[in-house]
Amino acid sequence: MIAFPFPLREVDIAGANRYLIEVMRAAPEVCGFLLAHPTDLTAALAAWDAAIAAGVRFCGVKPYFDLLGKGVFDCAMSEFIPDVLLRFMDDRQLVLMLHTSGNGMGDLSNQQFVRRVLDRFPGVKIVLAHLGRYVQSDEFFRFADSGLLDHPGVYLEMSSVTAPAVYARTLEHPGIRGR
């Protein structure tokens, strides 16, 4: 089971990460994802150290655009997933639970960002929340045609997907079926 704190500005990040450490200690089947503020990793690094000291390890990181005080259409992924966080994740082989910005993975800039992360930080695996997120089905289809689904470091999470055609296209994709 994957668990992460609710990634909103109103959440006490340090307290939420401490709570998740206790959950992981009590339930070893829980794979905790660290909540990290994009402009100040101090609390995330302290939570990492506290988890190790408690005998558990975070499996990944959940960055989120709202922590910048911006809306999903008002920021680029590089703003809420800085290189310093990606280096930390790469060094520890952590999974990135990625909620995309803009129109999701149909946006060329988001595809380029994900390609750059995969190339520069090979220890990071990326789980694209909501199948990479889309507003219109054709945005998902552009993403599906981009070749990124064939990359072994890309995985999909399917919550909040509402279009049957998107599910069908996902499940038909050879790169997904082979995993």
Side-chain angles (χ1 to χ4, degrees):
M1 176 190 334
I2 294 174
F4 48 82
F6 207 63
L8 296 178
R9 285 172 272 176
E10 297 81 8
V11 170
D12 170 12
I13 293 173
N17 284 329
R18 281 192 307 273
Y19 175 76
L20 191 52
I21 291 168
E22 292 308 313
V23 169
M24 291 187 299
R25 287 183 64 200
E29 68 276 13
V30 172
C31 295
F33 277 53
L34 183 65
L35 187 56
H37 195 285
T39 62
D40 183 3
L41 296 182
T42 306
L45 297 176
W48 175 268
D49 291 341
I52 298 300
V56 295
R57 185 181 189 278
F58 286 100
C59 298
V61 176
K62 172 65 176 167
Y64 203 63
F65 61 89
D66 188 69
L67 296 173
L68 291 173
K70 295 182 174 186
V72 71
F73 294 101
D74 300 323
C75 64
M77 289 194 295
S78 58
E79 290 180 87
F80 63 94
I81 312 163
D83 278 1
V84 64
L85 177 59
L86 290 165
R87 275 191 295 279
F88 170 82
M89 294 175 65
D90 189 48
D91 289 346
R92 290 155 183 84
Q93 308 269 306
L94 297 174
V95 176
L96 170 63
M97 177 61 76
L98 178 55
H99 188 285
T100 58
S101 61
N103 285 330
M105 288 304 294
D107 281 352
L108 183 58
S109 62
N110 288 346
Q111 292 174 23
Q112 291 169 338
F113 177 81
V114 168
R115 284 185 200 284
R116 182 181 70 82
V117 169
L118 293 167
D119 289 345
R120 291 186 58 212
F121 305 101
V124 175
K125 303 288 187 224
I126 299 174
V127 175
L128 293 167
H130 319 302
L131 295 183
R133 219 176 53 70
Y134 60 92
V135 177
Q136 302 293 323
S137 296
D138 65 323
E139 294 163 354
F140 175 81
F141 300 145
R142 279 196 303 276
F143 162 52
D145 292 336
S146 72
L148 278 167
L149 288 177
D150 296 318
H151 194 286
V154 173
Y155 297 84
L156 299 174
E157 181 277 327
M158 299 174 84
S159 70
S160 298
V161 175
T162 58
V166 169
Y167 275 115
R169 181 74 183 272
T170 301
L171 298 173
E172 291 169 355
H173 195 282
I176 298 302
R177 283 196 347 230
R179 287 190 206 147

